[in-house]
Amino acid sequence: MYRFLFTTVLSRLDPETAHHLVISGLRLGERIGVSAVLARWCRPAESLEIKALGLVWPSPFGLAAGFDKDATTVLPLANLGFGHIEIGTVTAAAQPGNPKPRLFRLVKDHALINRMGFNNDGAEALRPRLQDIRDRITRLKAAGRHAPVVGVNIGKTKLTPLEEATADYLSSTRVLAPVADYLVVNVSSPNTPGLRQLQDIEALRPLLLAVGQEADQAAGGHVPLLVKIAPDLNDDDVDAVAALVTDLGLDGVIATNTTISREGLSTDQETVQAMGAGGLSGPVLAQRSLEVLQRLRERLPRTTAIISVGGVRSGDDVAERLSHGATLVQGYTAFVYEGPFWVRRINRRLASLLRSG
């Protein structure tokens, strides 16, 4: 049914317009009571529950940052079966993002190119929304209902000079750490000028150290902190990140973000070039994402969490990431192509694999 809808309606719409229609549909479903039915039907099996980062996750599979940038649809999304929702990327100041069009489908590759540019309402606007979500999650847990872990992904405001990046991240951290189950420092989006320079170890060390201290102070307790890295780092740089994460005692790494590469695509190069710059996501990213996961797992302590993301399409894909040492797994792009019951299928497959040993 969804594939018919996608082919006949959604694929004919501008991708960002289609995205907003899906968001509106999910919110409408919550208002008229459909979400409650979906929550019962799509709830992950109890056997999938895991403990990591000092938290209980209903499923190891969650939704990556970028889908719900402004925390407007967290619980309707969770009702589809996601074990966690990562909102954002959020910046200290509200910003409109890059000019449209800025989101493109590569249907032959089941891929996306985006250059959204961290469009979001800003940290201050998100704080009350996240507080309300936390309050609602507390009530859901008390009633024995499905409740997701909610992470917050923060990035640099575009107009902030690179030399002032740490202060910019700290501003978001002070506001959002108290209402986040975990916090992610995003230094790997290709769509904010200069941002990826913060992956350089000399810049990354003081940034992560400062954010970690600020987060714990603002929240009055430890907030798990992770850093999100790009697939385009070479192996030596991945090793350097692993060494830094270990040295700082950071809670984890999210690997990986979108890629600036255009290799391995079936879509003709003329079409791809016409779409312009931006981060590529989808199955074409799967191999490199898996390689980075394996490399990190070999070099990080077992107590350091790795959230693997990039090219995941099926329950078997998720199981493969887990078998190679991922603590948790995220998806996004396949959600666009597979529809709302995609995550239910993944959770059912994971539960089946657990039962079969």
Side-chain angles (χ1 to χ4, degrees), residues 22 31 43 97 100 124 137 176 190 199 213 230 236 242 271 280 288 295 313 319 328 335 347 349 351 355:
V22 170
R31 287 195 295 272
R43 182 172 183 167
K100 299 178 182 179
E124 292 287 354
I137 284 175
L176 297 173
Q199 291 178 118
Q213 292 172 346
D236 288 343
T271 299
L280 173 68
R288 180 56 183 165
R295 196 166 190 92
R313 296 182 66 183
L328 301 155
F335 191 25
N347 283 330
R349 177 57 176 164
R355 286 193 302 270

Side-chain angles (χ1 to χ4, degrees), residues 119-139:
N119 55 306
N120 74 105
D121 292 339
E124 292 287 354
L126 264 67
R127 170 69 179 258
R129 293 177 202 164
L130 286 166
Q131 184 60 62
D132 177 65
I133 290 165
R134 287 176 73 86
D135 294 342
R136 293 173 66 187
I137 284 175
T138 298
R139 294 193 293 271

Side-chain angles (χ1 to χ4, degrees), residues 264-288:
L265 293 170
S266 298
T267 305
D268 67 90
Q269 286 301 304
E270 184 177 350
T271 299
V272 174
Q273 289 173 7
M275 293 175 179
L280 173 68
S281 60
V284 69
L285 190 55
Q287 184 58 42
R288 180 56 183 165

Side-chain angles (χ1 to χ4, degrees), residues 44 56-63 78 81-85 146-150 343 347:
V56 178
W57 309 69
S59 163
F61 186 65
L63 182 62
F82 289 108
H84 70 276
I85 309 291
H146 173 58
V149 171
V150 180
V343 62
N347 283 330

